[in-house]
């Protein structure tokens, strides 16, 4: 939640640092990967965003956001 708050405050660099720490401590924290994806998209780093979105979908394939995130991945890969 702290990472998402930082993203909302447009403190994206701080959010990325925090979220990377979260995923290093808990590699199965799928929502942190989703938030990393959002953060990297905001910075225009689409490749890193997609990589993190894929981790989110792999960890939480039935999450309510999984279909939307998979759609973002598919649209990126079609380019």
């Amino acid at each position: 939640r702290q990472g998402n708050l930082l993203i909302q405050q447009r403190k994206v660099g701080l959010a990325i640092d925090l979220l990377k720490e979260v995923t290093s401590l808990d590699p199965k924290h799928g929502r942190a990967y989703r938030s990393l994806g959002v953060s990297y998209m905001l910075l225009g780093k689409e490749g890193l965003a997609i990589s993190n979105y894929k981790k989110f979908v792999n960890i939480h394939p039935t999450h309510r956001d999984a279909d939307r995130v998979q759609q973002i991945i598919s649209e990126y890969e079609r380019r």
Side-chain angles (χ1 to χ4, degrees), residues 5 15 32 42-43 49 51 55 60-61 64 66-67 71 74-75 79:
L5 180 61
L42 289 170
L43 294 178
S51 174
K55 290 175 185 176
H60 292 300
R64 67 175 184 243
D67 288 341
Q71 183 180 3
S74 296
E75 289 172 5
R79 293 194 234 157

Side-chain angles (χ1 to χ4, degrees), residues 1 4 9 14 16-17 41 46 63 69 75 79:
R1 291 180 184 217
N4 288 334
Q9 295 172 344
L14 291 174
I16 289 171
D17 291 343
M41 277 292 188
E46 290 182 341
H63 188 280
V69 172
E75 289 172 5
R79 293 194 234 157

Side-chain angles (χ1 to χ4, degrees), residues 3-72:
N4 288 334
L5 180 61
L6 289 169
I7 293 167
Q8 290 172 357
Q9 295 172 344
R10 297 291 187 215
K11 297 178 181 177
V12 180
L14 291 174
I16 289 171
D17 291 343
L18 176 67
L19 293 164
K20 286 169 85 174
E21 183 177 338
V22 169
T23 58
S24 72
L25 295 172
D26 182 4
K28 296 290 183 185
H29 196 297
R31 289 173 297 169
Y33 289 111
R34 181 191 57 195
S35 295
L36 274 168
V38 170
S39 297
Y40 284 123
M41 277 292 188
L42 289 170
L43 294 178
K45 297 182 177 186
E46 290 182 341
L48 288 170
I50 296 301
S51 174
N52 283 282
Y53 282 154
K54 286 180 178 180
K55 290 175 185 176
F56 164 70
V57 172
N58 285 333
I59 294 168
H60 292 300
T62 60
H63 188 280
R64 67 175 184 243
D65 295 336
D67 288 341
R68 175 67 186 127
V69 172
Q70 185 58 55
Q71 183 180 3
I72 293 168

